[in-house]
Amino acid sequence: MIEHDGDANKWEAQLRKGCLEMAVLMALCAGRSYGLGILRVLESDSNLVLSEGTIYPILNRLRQEGMVNSEWVEAEAGHPRRYYSLTQKGRARAIQMARTWLDFAAGLNRLAKPLAQEREETA
């Protein structure tokens, strides 16, 4: 089991926070979704657990930047939901972010692999 000290927890929180915009855009690549649906995709597909208070400001900012569109859709039961979808600009940004992330992660993985193996061998 990995133990985290306070500094490691802060670092991990900052790393996750820095990836949220990219994660939201990537979650919308599959098609339009509402806020809670996006939260569920992020949790199930990337282990990112966010609150509604975190996701909606990100979605609003992305909408203001022209990365996503939003529309209210009436539901058969319950309240209407605001659905979000990528614009062309948002899809282009998601593709660029994915490429950059994969290159960056590959480099870090090369650096991290010997350390991870060392930990396994000494554990």
Side-chain angles (χ1 to χ4, degrees):
M1 181 171 169
I2 298 174
E3 293 183 30
H4 292 287
D5 62 23
D7 288 339
N9 286 336
K10 289 178 191 173
W11 174 82
E12 187 175 342
Q14 286 300 108
L15 177 65
R16 289 175 180 272
K17 185 177 179 182
C19 295
L20 293 181
E21 178 182 323
M22 176 178 61
V24 169
L25 290 172
M26 289 177 178
L28 286 170
C29 281
R32 78 179 190 156
S33 186
Y34 58 101
L36 188 57
I38 296 167
L39 288 174
R40 288 179 182 148
V41 167
L42 292 176
E43 186 173 349
S44 67
D45 293 358
S46 68
N47 293 324
L48 282 172
V49 179
L50 307 176
S51 68
E52 290 181 42
T54 301
I55 193 79
Y56 289 110
I58 293 169
L59 288 166
N60 189 48
R61 183 174 43 78
L62 290 171
R63 188 179 54 77
Q64 290 173 348
E65 293 174 359
M67 300 294 158
V68 300
N69 288 322
S70 68
E71 63 177 319
W72 285 101
V73 176
E74 292 293 328
E76 289 183 23
H79 300 286
R81 290 182 172 159
R82 183 181 292 249
Y83 277 80
Y84 299 87
S85 59
L86 288 180
T87 62
Q88 272 191 310
K89 184 178 177 181
R91 181 167 290 280
R93 164 93 50 98
I95 290 168
Q96 175 194 20
M97 288 176 147
R99 289 177 179 156
T100 300
W101 174 260
L102 289 173
D103 287 344
F104 178 72
L108 287 180
N109 285 339
R110 283 191 299 275
L111 291 172
K113 190 174 181 177
L115 293 172
Q117 290 171 340
E118 179 179 309
R119 177 159 172 74
E120 290 173 2
E121 293 169 2
T122 60

